Amino acid sequence: MTIYVDAKASSAGNGTIEKPFQTINEAAQVAKPGDEVIVLPGLYREYVDPKNAGTDEQRITYRSSEPLGAEITGAELLTGWKPFKGTVWTASVKTAIFGDYDPYTTYVYGDWYFAGRSKHTGCVFMNDQALYEAGSIEACLEGKKSETSWDPEPSIYQWYSEKQGDETVFYANFQDKDPNKEKVEITVRRRCFFPSKTGVSYITVSGFKIDKAATTWAPPAAFQDGMIGPHWSKGWIIEDCDISLSKCAGISVGKYLDPENEHFFTNKHVKSPTQMERDAVCRGQYHGWLKEKIGSHIIRRNHIHHCEQGGIIGRMGGVFSLIEDNHIHHINTMMELGGAEVAGIKLHAAIDVTIRRNHIHHCVMGIWTDWEAQGTRITQNLLHDNHRPTFAKHLEGGMGSQDIFVEVGHGPTLIDNNILLSDVSFRMATEGFALVHNLIMGPIASIDAGCDGMVEGKLRQRYTPYHIPHRTEVMGFMTILHGDDRIYNNIFIKKDDYKFKTETGTSVFDEFPTYEEWIANFDMDNETPDMDALEKFHFRYLPVWAKGNVYLNGAKPWKKEQDAIVDDKSKVFVELEEKDGKFKLKTNLYDLIKDHPVSLVTTETLGKAFQPDQPFENPDGTPITFDTDFEGKKREGKILPGPFAGEF
């Protein structure tokens, strides 16, 4: 059945084309498997709470009849502004408008949030741009430019709110603008399209504009909020949408609400947040975290931007998913929020998740896979400008920047055919990864670092889980030994304005053993091994493999790499050009490497990640041959290093 919705219809609609529903949520209460909800162009100021699940064979589809013609927003207009003092105006609303969730008394705060309890989940917008929150009326009057914002000029537009009886009173510094002549909105709803219950599976959301929700901070051992998301279910498709201006997360594929483990560290203090993450993994299995019930979502061709925690976030709920062809930018760049859960894409337990062909830029981090990046593949992505501008100060409690951060996982994590142009390409506080055919212009940081902590002089190791291959069931827990890494056919180029202590290239692995050096410690011919004698080797670095890599402009190879191609004399340039919204790479590097063919890499070449004993393979267990480049072209004949099959 086809159900119609039109914001301009009367309130007495029945969902037919002659008498459409007025709201999407009306349709969401009656839509059943196989139904398609067609939403006509218009502005839908509502929260859509889909009641029924579809099935694998009969999905429930919600579709904007015109691409981005239907807008679902968590905001309402705020009119009737009156001059207060200087360039500050004031207006008020009855607090009852917020119902049982008040964004202007609810702070962005919780586990792994480091920037202090000062910002609220609500926000004021002028002409679809978020204003900055001031800490007082006096600060709002001053309208001082932010020193930490990546785009400081708009930061002089600020707002402040306070309760006065049964009203919420807003003050806003509009500078030279008259708010009664502009579109001014406030967020009043927590979410836009998000089922209130779990298990609402097999939903498609296609072609909507979704914006301005007062989402809450979404760390891994808490309920993970988002403007849109499947809420602990299976088989959603979110496609061709424009998603922006969430206070925290745009799309959440994350964790359900578990009251006994909700922000446990913040609320109860007595267990470390790391321990609560381990608890979350195990409790998740009790709450149905199985391949048959959770994950397998598709997030594709969306424009996700100007959200202040993450573009796409998730803890466990995003397993077995595909994230492709999205344009993600300006995430956490207002620098109002600071904590450990910020990135264009931030996933915990990205088991068998494929992240491909995304364009990610101007984010505090590009892609961050935290814990259990097992069977994760990051491929054919373009990442650039994911670093703090030189004029911006570091936000206290904010994160450092890099294109890709893989943290405390055991692999296999496969990163291939990407273009990485930011100041830092990788942070690898992990083990069991493979870098294949990438163009890399920044260092690899946190090798042998960033996993464990020293507390009162004692080493407190961060044990993290690994899983039965291609499943969610936990196989075991282990600390990060570091190593177990494969680095094949990459191009490393040191930037001219390089400013870090860590070298570009693979020299950061100089203290790591080859496989031959590592395996020799175990006396494999001895049928009665000495457990005590071998114990020290069980906790030393795992081996590294490197072959076919190119090092230019001063990038340095691993000292044990036998066939490294090093050219310190030639001057290499790489420039990213934009024309009509499309990006093209301009470089001379292929003139330098065209006579240096390398070997074709396969799953067999890479072997198995050590702890889970799992090959670097497809989610269905089939092998990979790396014969397709960044652009989807086949590598035939002479194989060249880097992400392109040949000259371009």
Side-chain angles (χ1 to χ4, degrees):
M1 184 171 73
T2 301
I3 302 170
Y4 292 90
V5 180
D6 186 352
K8 303 178 186 67
S10 73
S11 58
N14 58 15
T16 62
I17 191 168
E18 296 82 10
K19 297 181 67 177
F21 287 127
Q22 190 180 59
T23 69
I24 305 168
N25 197 50
E26 289 176 279
Q29 303 315 298
V30 299
K32 291 183 170 55
D35 288 350
E36 182 174 35
V37 177
I38 300 296
V39 183
L40 276 65
L43 182 59
Y44 296 83
R45 297 187 184 274
E46 61 172 304
Y47 162 49
V48 182
D49 180 7
K51 179 180 179 180
N52 300 315
T55 68
D56 194 11
E57 296 78 22
Q58 291 188 301
R59 309 180 63 80
I60 299 176
T61 298
Y62 297 79
R63 189 181 310 281
S64 175
S65 64
E66 295 181 8
L68 306 183
E71 177 181 356
I72 308 171
T73 181
E76 295 286 344
L77 287 170
L78 182 55
T79 59
W81 289 89
K82 298 177 181 179
F84 174 70
K85 188 183 296 183
T87 55
V88 172
W89 299 62
T90 186
S92 64
V93 297
K94 293 294 185 182
T95 300
I97 192 176
F98 306 127
D100 58 1
Y101 172 75
D102 188 339
Y104 302 95
T105 59
T106 304
Y107 285 98
V108 178
Y109 199 67
D111 290 357
W112 301 103
Y113 189 82
F114 304 139
R117 194 193 303 260
S118 63
K119 304 300 181 185
H120 292 90
T121 59
C123 191
V124 177
F125 303 88
M126 181 173 65
N127 300 330
D128 299 319
Q129 182 166 310
L131 276 60
Y132 287 65
E133 183 176 1
S136 65
I137 294 177
E138 291 73 22
C140 189
L141 284 163
E142 183 180 8
K144 184 179 178 181
K145 187 181 296 185
S146 170
E147 295 182 331
T148 57
S149 173
W150 289 20
D151 184 16
E153 297 305 320
S155 69
I156 59 175
Y157 296 90
Q158 299 181 13
W159 67 274
Y160 174 75
S161 71
E162 61 184 19
K163 299 298 174 190
Q164 294 182 12
D166 63 351
E167 293 189 330
T168 300
V169 181
F170 292 89
Y171 303 87
N173 193 330
F174 293 107
Q175 300 298 332
D176 59 344
K177 305 290 186 183
D178 179 346
N180 295 312
K181 297 179 180 179
E182 313 293 335
K183 183 178 73 171
V184 179
E185 298 170 286
I186 59 170
T187 37
V188 301
R189 285 174 287 277
R190 182 170 174 175
R191 308 179 195 107
C192 294
F193 197 113
F194 197 103
S196 59
K197 63 181 182 181
T198 62
V200 183
S201 299
Y202 298 108
I203 300 288
T204 295
V205 182
S206 183
F208 290 87
K209 185 177 181 183
I210 299 171
D211 58 34
K212 304 186 189 82
T215 46
T216 57
W217 182 247
F223 167 70
Q224 289 194 306
D225 217 347
M227 284 202 301
I228 179 172
H231 194 188
W232 202 245
S233 66
K234 184 174 181 178
W236 274 47
I237 299 174
I238 302 172
E239 63 183 12
D240 301 312
C241 293
D242 187 296
I243 297 167
S244 67
L245 297 170
S246 174
K247 187 65 170 195
C248 291
I251 298 174
S252 170
V253 290
K255 188 177 167 292
Y256 57 96
L257 175 63
D258 182 353
E260 295 178 22
N261 197 33
E262 176 75 356
H263 292 287
F264 188 102
F265 171 76
T266 298
N267 294 327
K268 299 183 180 179
H269 315 316
V270 294
K271 289 186 180 180
S272 78
T274 295
Q275 178 62 18
M276 299 323 301
E277 289 193 46
R278 282 186 284 267
D279 285 3
V281 172
C282 296
R283 293 175 68 87
Q285 305 216 256
Y286 173 78
H287 287 277
W289 189 38
L290 295 169
K291 188 173 186 177
E292 291 75 19
K293 295 182 178 182
I294 302 299
S296 297
H297 307 301
I298 298 173
I299 302 172
R300 62 190 176 199
R301 301 188 303 271
N302 299 288
H303 181 202
I304 306 168
H305 56 104
H306 294 93
C307 300
E308 275 305 293
Q309 178 184 343
I312 303 169
I313 64 100
R315 173 58 152 140
M316 301 190 294
V319 290
F320 315 112
S321 293
L322 174 62
I323 301 172
E324 64 178 1
D325 298 309
N326 300 287
H327 182 196
I328 305 174
H329 61 96
H330 289 90
I331 303 298
N332 193 223
T333 54
M334 289 176 71
M335 282 292 149
E336 287 211 303
L337 309 183
E341 309 305 320
V342 294
I345 300 173
K346 173 66 193 288
L347 298 177
H348 284 73
I351 297 171
D352 282 0
V353 172
T354 299
I355 302 171
R356 70 184 179 196
R357 298 194 304 268
N358 300 284
H359 180 195
I360 304 176
H361 60 96
H362 293 91
C363 300
V364 73
M365 292 188 209
I367 300 169
W368 185 357
T369 58
D370 198 351
W371 291 56
E372 304 144 280
Q374 182 170 331
T376 309
R377 187 176 184 185
I378 302 171
T379 181
Q380 297 172 303
N381 300 283
L382 170 62
L383 297 102
H384 62 92
D385 291 291
N386 297 306
H387 49 242
R388 178 165 50 92
T390 55
F391 59 76
K393 290 186 177 179
H394 178 71
L395 174 70
E396 185 174 354
M399 291 288 99
S401 295
Q402 49 271 318
D403 280 332
I404 297 175
F405 185 8
V406 183
E407 185 176 11
V408 291
H410 301 285
T413 305
L414 176 56
I415 303 170
D416 68 282
N417 290 291
N418 300 284
I419 298 175
L420 310 172
L421 305 180
S422 300
D423 283 351
V424 178
S425 294
F426 299 107
R427 188 169 300 278
M428 293 295 198
T430 191
E431 65 188 18
F433 65 81
L435 306 181
V436 181
H437 280 291
N438 299 286
L439 173 58
I440 300 166
M441 292 198 66
I444 306 174
S446 292
I447 297 299
D448 190 27
C451 295
D452 304 321
M454 294 298 295
V455 182
E456 295 184 327
K458 294 182 179 180
L459 179 65
R460 301 299 186 187
Q461 293 178 314
R462 182 155 54 163
Y463 281 81
T464 51
Y466 51 97
H467 300 261
I468 293 172
H470 310 300
R471 299 287 305 179
T472 58
E473 291 89 340
V474 174
M475 182 189 292
F477 290 81
M478 185 56 186
T479 188
I480 306 299
L481 301 177
H482 300 279
D484 191 29
D485 304 322
R486 291 93 172 143
I487 307 167
Y488 288 90
N489 298 355
N490 302 282
I491 299 173
F492 295 90
I493 304 174
K494 187 174 182 178
K495 288 187 174 183
D496 290 339
D497 59 349
Y498 190 77
K499 52 185 178 292
F500 300 97
K501 293 181 180 179
T502 304
E503 290 287 348
T504 300
T506 56
S507 61
V508 291
F509 293 98
D510 277 354
E511 301 308 312
F512 284 72
T514 64
Y515 175 79
E516 290 74 20
E517 291 171 332
W518 173 78
I519 197 67
N521 295 311
F522 295 99
D523 192 12
M524 301 302 290
D525 295 328
N526 189 343
E527 296 181 359
T528 56
D530 186 331
M531 186 179 296
D532 291 337
L534 293 180
E535 185 174 27
K536 61 184 178 182
F537 300 118
H538 291 148
F539 291 90
R540 288 188 180 176
Y541 291 147
L542 295 169
V544 169
W545 293 260
K547 187 175 182 181
N549 299 296
V550 177
Y551 303 85
L552 303 169
N553 283 8
K556 296 183 178 179
W558 180 40
K559 66 182 181 181
K560 298 173 184 178
E561 186 174 352
Q562 297 298 314
D563 64 346
I565 303 164
V566 182
D567 185 346
D568 289 332
K569 297 179 181 179
S570 302
K571 184 64 177 176
V572 180
F573 68 87
V574 177
E575 299 171 2
L576 191 63
E577 296 181 337
E578 180 183 6
K579 186 176 182 180
D580 299 327
K582 295 183 179 180
F583 288 80
K584 184 177 181 180
L585 206 63
K586 184 179 179 181
T587 180
N588 64 339
L589 70 87
Y590 278 83
D591 294 333
L592 304 176
I593 66 169
K594 61 185 179 182
D595 296 325
H596 296 285
V598 293
S599 299
L600 188 66
V601 177
T602 66
T603 289
E604 185 178 3
T605 308
L606 300 178
K608 294 181 178 181
F610 178 70
Q611 293 294 357
D613 196 33
Q614 178 178 335
F616 291 80
E617 61 189 3
N618 287 309
D620 62 1
T622 58
I624 301 171
T625 298
F626 295 89
D627 59 357
T628 303
D629 77 352
F630 173 85
E631 298 179 307
K633 297 178 181 177
K634 283 292 184 180
R635 292 185 169 94
E636 297 175 334
K638 182 170 65 174
I639 308 297
L640 293 179
F644 296 102
E647 297 184 51
F648 62 100

